[in-house]
Amino acid sequence: MIGRLNHVAIAVPDLEAASAQYRDTLGASVRAPQDEPDHGVRVVFIDLPNTKIELLWPLGEDSPIAGFLAKNPAGGIHHICYEVDDILAARDKLRADGARVLGDGEPRIGAHGKPVLFLHPKDFNGTLVELEQA
Ligand SMILES: CC[C@H](C(=O)O)C(=O)SCCNC(=O)CCNC(=O)[C@H](O)C(C)(C)COP(=O)(O)OP(=O)(O)OC[C@H]1O[C@@H](n2cnc3c(N)ncnc32)[C@H](O)[C@@H]1OP(=O)(O)O
Ligand SMILES: [Co+2]
């Protein structure tokens, strides 16, 4: 079911500093910030030869990453995103296997304009998993 690793997301306390570090110190290709108000984050994508890094910064009062940053003030790996061919079929199988699909279970459009879903970290070895329709 899961396919390519689409991105690894890192929550950061300072998006400009993290972007500059990846661009200047690590010599990576860093895209411009994009606000995702529906998801309560501002994101910066970093293109790697085999996947992407998604830097996440909280946008708005009730950002879903605010709690994570409060617990991890220096930042940290927040989630991993796998691609799936059919996100609704994936959702239904995951539910049938007892995994918790977050939110109301309906895919929402993510940062790449594709439907995404999130799976509870407690069901996947303490790792928040995002699925993105390939
Ligand atoms: C623009 C879209 C973009 C894209 O790629 O397309 C994105 O990726 S948007 C990313 C931001 N959106 C989300 O993360 C949505 C899904 N996340 C959630 O619904 C919440 O963050 C949730 C439910 C995972 C955690 O909620 P909260 O922060 O309120 O913490 P809880 O106390 O409810 O957490 C319960 C339990 O889980 C642990 N936890 C929380 N976040 C993570 C995490 N990122 N990785 C691993 N574990 C996590 C938390 O520590 C609690 O554990 P406990 O042992 O009970 O303390
Ligand atoms: Co993501």
Side-chain angles (χ1 to χ4, degrees), residues 3 18 26 61 85:
L26 295 174
E61 288 306 305
D85 288 335

Side-chain angles (χ1 to χ4, degrees), residues 6-9 43 45 54 56 78-81 111-112 116 118 130 132:
N6 183 276
H7 62 269
V8 176
V43 302
F45 276 101
E54 179 185 65
L56 289 174
H78 184 262
H79 64 269
I80 52 177
C81 180
H112 299 122
V116 300
F118 288 88
E130 178 182 9
E132 179 176 307

